[in-house]
Amino acid sequence: DVLLHDKLQNLHFQQPLTARWYCSDASKQKILDTVPFASMDAKVKAFVQMCEELHRECRLIRQLSRFSVLPAKQRKWAQRYLPDGLHRPFNNFLASDARGMQRLLHVALFLSLTLAWHGGWRLVP
């Protein structure tokens, strides 16, 4: 709700594409959890600053997800005939709320725990 022309009105903003596809829900929730509620000015200033930082991060993730291992001349061909995972390796991990990246982190954690357990098991006499 904002005051425009001495009338209280609902004002809605369009959500950027980067916020829908390239920002994790945890990052969005962090903003909601850490915004100070001391005064309205501090609240708005902190909220806008956190959103700008998150937007920069989301744009970087979008650029990484568009990265292709193929030369520029062959990208159009690859977009038409190849699955995205074959020529854009980061796209699978970073798109859709970074679920692929979260899965990769869980697999890496499991592998590191398995290796640590195996190495520790060998050390015990």
Side-chain angles (χ1 to χ4, degrees):
D1 294 334
V2 294
L3 191 62
L4 290 175
H5 307 295
D6 296 327
K7 291 183 180 179
L8 189 62
Q9 299 178 2
N10 287 334
L11 185 63
H12 300 279
F13 296 96
Q14 183 178 1
Q15 186 178 23
L17 180 66
T18 55
R20 288 189 199 148
W21 294 103
Y22 301 105
C23 294
S24 66
D25 287 336
S27 298
K28 295 174 192 175
Q29 189 62 40
K30 181 182 174 189
I31 290 175
L32 295 175
D33 292 342
T34 58
V35 169
F37 290 102
S39 70
M40 185 60 88
D41 291 337
K43 178 181 172 182
V44 170
K45 185 177 180 180
F47 179 76
V48 169
Q49 183 179 11
M50 287 185 218
C51 288
E52 286 175 347
E53 291 170 5
L54 181 61
H55 186 65
R56 278 193 293 272
E57 177 184 326
C58 293
R59 285 188 310 187
L60 177 63
I61 291 172
R62 184 179 69 183
Q63 288 173 349
L64 285 172
S65 70
R66 290 180 176 178
F67 169 76
S68 179
V69 295
L70 296 176
K73 293 179 181 179
Q74 297 173 343
R75 284 188 195 141
K76 283 290 185 189
W77 177 85
Q79 288 174 351
R80 288 185 188 135
Y81 300 110
L82 293 177
D84 280 340
L86 291 178
H87 68 97
R88 288 198 264 173
F90 297 124
N91 187 39
N92 293 333
F93 295 116
L94 299 174
S96 300
D97 193 22
R99 284 190 191 101
M101 182 64 79
Q102 292 171 359
R103 281 189 223 120
L104 180 65
L105 289 173
H106 287 133
V107 169
L109 177 64
F110 176 75
L111 285 175
S112 64
L113 287 174
T114 304
L115 289 172
W117 175 80
H118 181 69
W121 178 69
R122 296 278 185 170
L123 293 175
V124 176

